[in-house]
């Protein structure tokens, strides 16, 4: 039997990243993700990797840009305010089509907000939080195993699509401990990095940029990026279906909110209510088709989020025309995490 | 004999080469080149030019080539 | 006949967008000559910044990454840490390096990153139209200090070469100019020295080069060139401020 470890989510991310071949970590301390840089500062030297605690989130994400430009697997992690600071560079890397990983163990806001679990960064993550109209791959793990698996997947998809990837978690999935079964990175064919900077080395000059001033150049570049996003939507949308096939009401939510919702769904089933859970795993690309298809039959959706309503907009855009979408949100702060009983109450209200 | 070649098409008419030449062998043309500038022209003779290349060193547009006997 | 002065191979044979008399062109050539001389063209990764020198990749025949405004030293850190066997230099203006990117340059220097920095100080923001820079001289009029820079309002011009030389992580720091043939020859030597520092694994090296921006100074090329000697060299002294390996 495979070895099982009992680790926190943040550690699972680190283990997944190192297993995926990431040898460059650049970060800056912020709660609730400090165990990521701490782990990396300990472990990177053991795998001949590089750890730098940079002078800021801005510097750390730009270091990622540099390492990624050479074709190396590089990552940074932070929490909401720090992610805001990284946004300029993320926009650049989206424009440059540089693969890399950014982890957001998000906290509540706006502003300094608090350190509790929150999903207030959904818009920032999936709508191109920086300037210029772009998307990045966004994955939302809901378990420790997923923190590990999706980190590995993020690196692969980032390279396949030449796009920055983000893991969007929070203090719940970051800090809780659960069993993790580590495993080698699944074999996946990856494209050659014929764009990576290496010094000409007798070949053609290579350069990486995001400035396009020629007539029509930038428009063409944007359409190219758009086509890539469309392809990702078609091929890479991922979600979890839990008891949705016969459901009369489908609860949805991502990450930590989906964990609580799942418990509520099981409680509802015990009471004989036909309730299921549809949990987006990729937030970008959003699994729109899954919602469209499920709501051909099931006309009631209850979306639960730790904010005042963000993913619900994408849910509404995705469901069948005659489906009802209800929302239950708790913009978090200390003592604001909803209980399964609370969500069960909402299920009964709309069932 | 040393000699210089000024690439008229690259010259932006800044005149920095004129102040660099210790022999004052470069002047600015009255003609306008295709960039819209009055380019530098060599006005000396091959006897006067020492091939010191100071004009070329000072040129921000690398518009001057300098030749000398071996 | 033998050609005694020619374009370095690391510098592409193309027209630049620089204004007439702009020293960026001269400094580009000196950097390319140093790359040629040390045989670095094939192993160099250049780090472009944002300013009039953003098109490094159009002018240098080397691999280049264009970086967000001020962040070149952080990007260079990532490149160099991932490829320690490559030669890595940044090329940055004074708005880029001494204003928005102050944190990045100080910390890259303080970490002693094995990179070289070419810092072009033209006392203004060239690309955006001549606004005040941290290096703008006292009394100098710019589009955002229309009555001249006043120390009580805008503080003092910042001397980066001296400031960085105070950091233990810095191995080499110097200031040069390209306004006269003599200064230019010295600038060439200082750039080469800075590159040798990296080539020989001796640590972080920094060369500030004083430069003319005729366009935004409202001067012709000759007047602007003269101003470098008359005003800038007075305040920003040329010389070597740190040379730990005595190269
Ligand atoms: C985040 C950000 N802020 C502002 C700008 C606008 N900007 C472009 S270049 C520049 C200043 C350039 O001045 P300098 O670094 O001195 O270089 P120069 O053009 O003089 O060579 C500014 C402010 C930008 N590109 N990005
Ligand atoms: S090579 Fe020397 S002498 Fe000849 S034109 Fe140029 S500066 Fe003058
Ligand atoms: S220095 Fe160069 S660009 Fe300027 S006038 Fe002379 S040849 Fe022309
Ligand atoms: S604006 Fe100034 S710095 Fe920019 S190219 Fe023109 S002269 Fe050079």
């Amino acid at each position: 039997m495979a070895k099982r470890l009992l680790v926190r989510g943040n550690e699972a991310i680190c283990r997944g990243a190192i297993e995926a071949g990431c040898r460059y970590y650049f970060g800056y301390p912020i709660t609730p993700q400090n165990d990521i840089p701490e782990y990396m500062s300990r472990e990177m030297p053991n795998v001949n990797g590089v750890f730098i605690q940079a002078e800021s989130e801005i510097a750390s994400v730009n270091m990622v840009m540099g390492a990624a430009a050479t074709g190396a697997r590089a990552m940074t992690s932070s929490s909401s305010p720090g992610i805001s600071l990284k946004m300029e560079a993320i926009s650049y890397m989206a424009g440059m089509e540089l693969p890399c990983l950014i982890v957001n163990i998000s906290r509540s806001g706006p502003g300094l907000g608090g350190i509790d679990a929150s999903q207030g960064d959904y818009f920032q993550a999936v709508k191109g939080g920086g300037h210029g109209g772009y998307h990045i791959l966004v994955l939302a793990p809901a378990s420790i195993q997923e923190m590990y698996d999706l980190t590995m997947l993020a690196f692969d998809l980032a390279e396949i699509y030449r796009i920055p990837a983000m893991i969007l978690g929070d203090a719940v999935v970051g800090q809780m401990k659960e069993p993790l079964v580590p495993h080698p990175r699944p074999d996946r064919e990856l494209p050659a990095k014929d764009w990576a900077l290496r010094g000409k080395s007798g070949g053609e000059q290579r350069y990486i940029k995001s400035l396009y001033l020629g007539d029509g150049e930038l428009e063409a570049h944007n359409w190219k990026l758009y086509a890539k996003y469309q392809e990702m939507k078609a091929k890479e949308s991922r979600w979890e279906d839990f008891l949705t096939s016969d459901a009369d009401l489908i609860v949805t939510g991502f990450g930590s909110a989906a964990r609580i919702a799942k418990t509520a769904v099981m409680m509802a089933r015990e009471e004989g209510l036909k309730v299921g859970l549809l949990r987006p795993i990729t937030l970008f690309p959003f699994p729109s088709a899954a919602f469209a298809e499920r709501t051909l039959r099931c006309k009631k959706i209850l979306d639960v989020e730790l904010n005042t309503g963000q993913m619900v907009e994408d849910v509404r855009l995705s469901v069948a025309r005659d489906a009802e979408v209800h929302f239950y949100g708790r913009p978090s702060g200390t003592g604001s995490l909803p209980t399964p009983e609370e969500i069960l109450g909402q299920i009964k209200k709309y069932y | 004999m040393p000699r210089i070649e000024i690439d008229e098409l690259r010259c932006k008419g800044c005149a920095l080469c004129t102040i660099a030449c210790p022999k004052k062998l470069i002047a600015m043309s009255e003609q306008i080149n295709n960039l819209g500038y009055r380019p530098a022209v060599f006005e000396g003779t091959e006897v006067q030019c020492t091939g010191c290349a100071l004009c070329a060193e000072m040129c921000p547009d690398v518009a001057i080539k300098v030749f000398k006997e071996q | 006949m033998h050609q005694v002065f020619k374009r370095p191979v690391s510098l592409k044979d193309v027209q630049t967008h620089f204004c007439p008399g702009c020293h960026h062109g001269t400094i580009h050539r000196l950097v390319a000559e140093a790359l040629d001389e040390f045989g670095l063209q094939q192993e160099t990764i250049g780090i472009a910044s944002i300013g009039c020198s953003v098109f490094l990749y159009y002018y240098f025949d080397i691999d280049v990454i264009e970086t967000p405004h001020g962040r070149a030293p952080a990007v260079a850190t990532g490149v160099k840490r991932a490829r320690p066997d490559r030669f890595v230099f940044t090329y940055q203006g004074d708005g880029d390096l001494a204003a928005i990117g102050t944190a990045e340059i100080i910390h890259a220097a303080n970490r002693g990153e094995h990179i070289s920095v070419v810092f072009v100080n033209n006392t203004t923001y060239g690309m955006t139209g001549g606004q005040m820079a941290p290096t703008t001289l006292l009394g100098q009029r710019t589009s955002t200090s229309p009555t001249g820079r006043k120390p009580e309002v805008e503080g003092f011009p910042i001397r980066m070469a001296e400031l960085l030389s105070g950091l233990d992580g810095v191995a080499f720091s110097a200031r040069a100019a390209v306004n006269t043939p003599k200064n230019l020859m010295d600038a060439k030597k200082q750039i080469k020295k800075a590159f040798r520092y990296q080539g020989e694994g001796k640590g972080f090296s920094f060369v500030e080069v004083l430069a003319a921006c005729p366009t935004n100074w409202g001067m012709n090329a000759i007047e602007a060139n003269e101003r470098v000697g008359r005003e800038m060299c007075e305040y920003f002294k040329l010389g070597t401020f740190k040379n730990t390996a005595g190269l």
Side-chain angles (χ1 to χ4, degrees), chain C residues 123-124 130-133 136 140-149 216:
Chain C
T123 71
T124 191
Q131 294 82 6
M132 192 186 71
T136 294
Q140 182 181 338
R141 287 168 203 261
T142 69
S143 63
T144 52
S145 57
T147 58
R149 181 178 190 165
N216 287 305

Side-chain angles (χ1 to χ4, degrees), chain A residues 179-215:
Chain A
L180 166 71
V181 182
H183 55 82
R185 185 175 74 83
D187 256 341
R188 199 175 274 114
E189 205 177 318
L190 298 171
K193 292 175 185 166
D194 53 6
W195 45 266
L197 303 185
R198 76 310 189 203
K200 288 181 67 184
S201 311
E204 288 290 302
Q205 178 197 29
R206 292 180 185 168
Y207 52 83
I208 294 178
K209 61 161 188 164
S210 60
L211 180 68
Y212 293 91
L213 295 180
D215 234 10

